[in-house]
Amino acid sequence: MSTQSQRFISVKNKKIILTLLVVPSRNFTISQRASSVIIYQRNKKGTDEPPKKLPFRKALIEGFKQFGPESKKFIQEQKEAYAFNPMLSAEHGNYEVLYRFDKKAEVDRWIVSTDKDYKGGESSANFTFTKNRTGLFHGYLCKEVPKDGVTKYAGYANISNLTPRKSFNRETHWDWSLYNCMLFRVRGDGRPYVIVLGCKFDYDVNWLNRWSCPLFTRGGPYWQIAKIPFSKFYISHHGRIQDRQEYPILSLVNSLGITVMDAAEGPFALEIDSISLMYDINLTGKHAYELYQDKNYEGQN
C-alpha cells in the first residue's frame, strides 16, 4: 500500500463528504479511525439555509417583465466596452474614488447586518446619510450571548456594498490590479474597525475566503485619511485566519465591507466621507506578514 493518503469522495444527503483514510507515515499522525469533513457550501454566506428559488411560473413571468430593460442594459454595456479605453499602468499618486457618500443614493447602495439578523446577539446598527453629506455607520454593540447552547460570543455589526451585477442579474467583479493601497477618509470614535474584502470565486470551497485589515480611528472631531496597503490584508476562511497567507486577488474583488467587533459593549459611530484606490510607488507588493516555512507541514512548498 502507498504511504500517501487515499481519498474517497462519497455523496450522502446531498452533501459532499471528503473522507480521509490516514495511513501510517513519517509525516502523518497515525489515526485509528477515518474522519469526515464537509466541503460543500449551500450558499455564499456559509449558512445551512437552502438557496431561495422562485416557483417556475412566477420566475417565468418576472423574466418576461425584465427582458426589455435588461436587454437595453446589455446593449449599453457592449457600447461602453467597445468605447472603453483602459488605463494600462498607473503613475505614482494616481487614485480612483470608489465611493463618495455625498448623496443618499450612494448610502443606500450598502447593506447593514448585525449578529441579531442571524439570531446570534442583540446588537443594532444603521448606515444613514448625514447633513454633512457623508455616511454615518452607527449603532450599539451588545455582548449579551443568546441562551441557545451554541453561540459563544456576541457583538458584531457590519456594512457591505451590494454585489456588483451586470445585465440579466449576472454577478461581476472589479479589477483593482493597477493599485496597491486603499484610502479611507473617516472620522471615528476611537474604536478599531475591520476592512473586509471578498473575491468572486466559482468553486464553493473558496466562497468564504475573506481578506481583512484593521482600521484604527483616532476619535475626536477631526477627519483622518487612512492609507491601507493591500499587502497588510490577511486571509481567513469562515472567520479562521489561515496559516499560509496569500496576497488579495485584486482582479476578482466583488465585495467590500466595514465591521466593528472589538468586544467593547456600547455605542459606536464611524462617519465616512469617501473610499478610494491609490497607487503608491513606495509600497511593495510583497506580503507584509512573515511566513514560516515548515518542511513537515503538509501544503507548504
Side-chain angles (χ1 to χ4, degrees):
M1 182 179 291
S2 173
T3 58
Q4 296 180 350
S5 298
Q6 299 179 358
R7 292 170 171 82
F8 299 91
I9 299 179
S10 61
V11 179
K12 183 179 181 182
N13 297 329
K14 297 182 180 180
K15 293 184 178 180
I16 300 178
I17 308 298
L18 179 65
T19 305
L20 303 178
L21 299 181
V22 182
V23 180
S25 174
R26 183 173 58 184
N27 296 332
F28 291 91
T29 303
I30 299 177
S31 176
Q32 300 297 329
R33 62 179 182 178
S35 60
S36 296
V37 181
I38 297 176
I39 63 173
Y40 169 73
Q41 297 294 341
R42 283 179 174 265
N43 53 52
K44 293 187 177 183
K45 294 182 179 180
T47 61
D48 292 332
E49 299 177 2
K52 296 181 180 179
K53 293 184 179 180
L54 291 175
F56 177 77
R57 183 182 180 86
K58 188 174 182 180
L60 188 63
I61 295 174
E62 291 294 330
F64 276 114
K65 288 181 180 179
Q66 297 296 328
F67 182 78
E70 293 297 324
S71 297
K72 293 180 180 179
K73 187 176 180 181
F74 176 77
I75 295 173
Q76 184 62 29
E77 289 173 355
Q78 300 307 310
K79 290 180 179 179
E80 292 177 356
Y82 180 76
F84 182 58
N85 186 17
M87 184 171 61
L88 301 179
S89 62
E91 301 287 340
H92 175 65
N94 287 159
Y95 70 95
E96 176 185 345
V97 178
L98 290 176
Y99 294 97
R100 190 182 300 278
F101 301 102
D102 55 353
K103 298 178 182 178
K104 189 177 185 301
E106 290 293 323
V107 176
D108 293 339
R109 292 171 59 187
W110 288 63
I111 303 173
V112 182
S113 61
T114 64
D115 50 15
K116 189 175 183 179
D117 299 328
Y118 303 97
K119 299 180 181 179
E122 295 295 331
S123 301
S124 61
N126 285 290
F127 191 42
T128 56
F129 184 65
T130 70
K131 62 180 180 180
N132 299 326
R133 305 185 68 83
T134 57
L136 180 62
F137 177 38
H138 62 101
Y140 189 90
L141 217 58
C142 180
K143 293 178 59 179
E144 182 181 352
V145 178
K147 299 178 181 179
D148 56 3
V150 177
T151 307
K152 297 181 179 180
Y153 308 100
Y156 161 89
N158 171 269
I159 55 173
S160 58
N161 67 293
L162 291 172
T163 302
R165 295 185 182 276
K166 297 190 292 186
S167 56
F168 298 103
N169 203 31
R170 293 173 298 162
E171 185 176 339
T172 183
H173 55 83
W174 302 303
D175 187 357
W176 295 356
S177 55
L178 291 179
Y179 307 98
N180 58 8
C181 64
M182 301 188 73
L183 298 178
F184 293 84
R185 188 171 187 267
V186 297
R187 181 162 57 178
D189 53 3
R191 284 179 181 263
Y193 294 80
V194 180
I195 309 301
V196 184
L197 299 179
C199 294
K200 180 181 180 297
F201 292 109
D202 295 327
Y203 298 104
D204 56 355
V205 292
N206 295 322
W207 282 352
L208 301 180
N209 287 358
R210 295 293 184 270
W211 282 265
S212 307
C213 186
L215 170 64
F216 299 100
T217 60
R218 300 172 183 170
Y222 300 107
W223 289 92
Q224 69 178 94
I225 298 178
K227 180 191 292 185
I228 303 179
F230 287 121
S231 59
K232 294 292 184 69
F233 283 80
Y234 56 89
I235 188 174
S236 60
H237 180 81
H238 213 168
R240 297 177 176 86
I241 299 176
Q242 301 301 291
D243 292 329
R244 188 166 188 177
Q245 292 295 310
E246 300 176 5
Y247 197 84
I249 306 175
L250 300 179
S251 60
L252 295 177
V253 177
N254 75 335
S255 70
L256 169 63
I258 302 177
T259 303
V260 56
M261 50 178 183
D262 59 351
E265 183 168 346
F268 65 90
L270 178 67
E271 191 173 358
I272 311 170
D273 177 62
S274 62
I275 302 174
S276 308
L277 300 173
M278 181 180 173
Y279 177 74
D280 189 341
I281 197 173
N282 300 309
L283 298 177
T284 177
K286 185 179 178 181
H287 204 271
Y289 302 103
E290 185 175 6
L291 303 178
Y292 296 93
Q293 296 293 331
D294 186 357
K295 294 181 180 180
N296 295 324
Y297 182 75
E298 184 181 11
Q300 290 196 355
N301 296 326

